[in-house]
Amino acid sequence: MTYEIEIGRGKRGRRAYSLDDIAIVPNRRTRDPHDVSVSWQIDAYRFEMPVIAAPMDSVMSPATAVELGRLGGLGVLDLEGLWTRYEDPEPVLAEIAALEGEPSDPAVTRRLQELYTKPVDPELITSRLAEIRASGVTVAGALTPSGTVQHYKTVIAAGVDLFVIRGTTVSAEHVSKNQEPLNLKKFIYELDVPVIVGGAAGYTPALHLMRTGAAGVLVGFGGGATTTTRRALGIHSPLASAISDVAAARRDYMDESGGRYVHVIADGGMGTSGAIIKAIAMGADAVMLGSALARAEEAPGRGWHWGAEAHHPETPRGERVNVGTVGPMGEVLFGPGHHPDGTSNLVGMLRRSMATSGYSDLKEFQRVDVVVSPYAGQ
């Protein structure tokens, strides 16, 4: 079976689907939502919900990472963000929230770039991770591939339970004539902690990342609500098809490796409970959330949201956007919900959808029937 269509006489392309393009169709028994388990485990670490916070300064501080951990999720701190550049980043966060201008205003982008020129301080990496560890929750930090080369020894010495290597797109085979690239397979093999790496958006690159020994692969290019990568670089991968492709790579890698399971983590563009639910239905084990958690009252962005792409020094391809505030983090995740648009009680909505479809745990729910829906965006 082929999914390629003719774009013109000289080019063919595969039809791909976003999460907005699909819908879940219940076709079996229903269950009581209280009987549904949404717990998730990666390596030795078990979580009460399949929610990972995106390592973005508008989403995660050491305090919010601790709060999310206590609620049963995983907070990931950006170890190249404001919290490792400034001893006290609160005035900087307040300034970013107060900047005047439209999301694409060059003055806003320029000021973000200026604020992020301050170098990363290795001592702050150590102290921020120690602050999270002191709370007793699972400790996770993220670096870009280039940042990993520079700072991974500091991170490992400081102590993390899970290490995240996150970029717009990360490959197992980066080619460069100018600098020594990060050898992911060698790097992951030498570490004593599980590594989550991505993004990847297709079967082949995901399979290559799985072969490096990664414990999890991020699917997508992250930065959903804030990214302008499609406009700036022409790069985009509809997430429903991407998750399905990477889930297929997971299945084939299990056969190839003799049963080793690599977790598929959807990353970016899941600002509502419906999108989260459909990502898991397409085969994701967990989701990495940015804007959905940036709406929490505790979020450092104060209702504003931006990612690393927005302040790239040479090729910015992101925006600072106003996502507003929904309520405390506990209400965003567990309700009671007061917003009918899927921005609050995210985990409660997941339980309800699984119960309505008759599934009792996340692995079962990955087998739910879906259809291509004509009601895009509904």
Side-chain angles (χ1 to χ4, degrees), residues 25 32 40 78 86 111 128 145 158-159 162 185 196 200 231 256 274 312-313 331 341 358 369 375:
V25 182
D32 186 323
W40 171 66
D78 180 4
Y86 294 87
R111 185 56 182 151
R128 303 307 187 197
L162 290 161
K185 188 169 186 177
I196 297 171
R231 281 178 275 160
E256 173 187 305
H312 191 283
E331 185 176 303
D341 58 358
D369 285 347
Y375 307 109

Side-chain angles (χ1 to χ4, degrees), residues 15-314:
R15 178 70 169 93
Y17 298 97
S18 71
L19 294 175
D20 281 342
D21 292 326
I22 67 165
I24 291 168
V25 182
N27 68 350
R28 49 182 287 179
R29 70 179 72 86
T30 56
R31 293 182 182 272
D32 186 323
H34 294 94
D35 296 334
V36 170
S37 170
V38 294
S39 63
W40 171 66
Q41 181 165 336
I42 181 169
D43 203 84
Y45 303 99
R46 178 182 171 86
F47 304 95
E48 295 308 309
M49 56 180 166
V51 172
I52 305 173
M56 303 168 82
D57 283 332
S58 53
V59 179
M60 281 288 104
S61 66
T64 53
V66 170
E67 176 67 11
L68 182 59
R70 288 173 174 164
L71 289 170
L74 175 65
V76 183
L77 190 67
D78 180 4
L79 299 179
E80 297 173 74
L82 297 175
W83 291 92
T84 58
R85 295 174 190 262
Y86 294 87
E87 184 70 37
D88 180 12
E90 290 295 346
V92 182
L93 290 162
E95 179 182 345
I96 293 173
L99 289 172
E100 295 184 359
E102 297 297 319
S104 58
D105 191 328
V108 173
T109 300
R110 187 177 297 111
R111 185 56 182 151
L112 283 171
Q113 291 169 320
E114 291 169 352
L115 291 169
Y116 279 87
T117 56
K118 187 175 177 65
V120 171
D121 184 345
E123 292 186 2
L124 286 176
I125 291 178
T126 300
S127 63
R128 303 307 187 197
L129 292 174
E131 182 180 345
I132 299 172
R133 179 169 295 283
S135 71
V137 303
T138 302
V139 183
L143 293 170
T144 61
S146 60
T148 298
V149 174
Q150 292 180 272
H151 301 296
Y152 81 91
K153 290 182 180 179
T154 300
V155 175
I156 298 305
V160 288
D161 299 313
L162 290 161
F163 186 59
V164 178
I165 303 174
R166 184 178 187 252
T168 299
T169 181
V170 178
S171 72
E173 187 179 353
H174 177 70
V175 180
S176 174
K177 295 181 179 179
N178 303 311
Q179 59 184 1
E180 184 68 25
L182 173 65
N183 185 326
L184 274 176
K185 188 169 186 177
K186 180 176 182 293
F187 175 79
I188 292 173
Y189 178 79
E190 292 177 349
L191 289 181
D192 291 329
V193 299
V195 177
I196 297 171
V197 62
Y203 175 92
T204 299
L207 187 59
H208 287 171
L209 288 177
M210 291 173 186
R211 288 169 177 164
T212 66
V217 172
L218 298 172
V219 184
F221 300 133
T226 66
T227 186
T228 60
T229 298
R230 184 172 186 173
R231 281 178 275 160
L233 299 183
I235 294 174
H236 175 65
S237 182
L239 197 54
S241 293
I243 295 170
S244 179
D245 287 344
V246 177
R250 174 184 61 200
R251 177 199 63 210
D252 292 348
Y253 179 69
M254 283 186 68
D255 291 341
E256 173 187 305
S257 63
R260 184 173 181 269
Y261 190 91
V262 179
H263 295 266
V264 173
I265 302 163
D267 181 15
M270 293 168 292
T272 64
S273 55
I276 294 167
I277 292 162
K278 288 187 281 187
I280 294 173
M282 292 306 298
D285 297 291
V287 294
M288 179 169 276
L289 303 181
S291 61
L293 296 178
R295 299 188 185 103
E297 290 177 357
E298 302 93 328
R302 298 162 168 81
W304 292 88
H305 185 40
W306 65 93
E309 302 89 352
H311 57 76
H312 191 283
E314 297 172 358

Side-chain angles (χ1 to χ4, degrees), residues 49 51 68 71 293 328-335 345-348:
M49 56 180 166
V51 172
L68 182 59
L71 289 170
L293 296 178
M329 186 182 291
E331 185 176 303
V332 170
L333 291 168
F334 299 111
N345 196 12
L346 304 178
V347 178

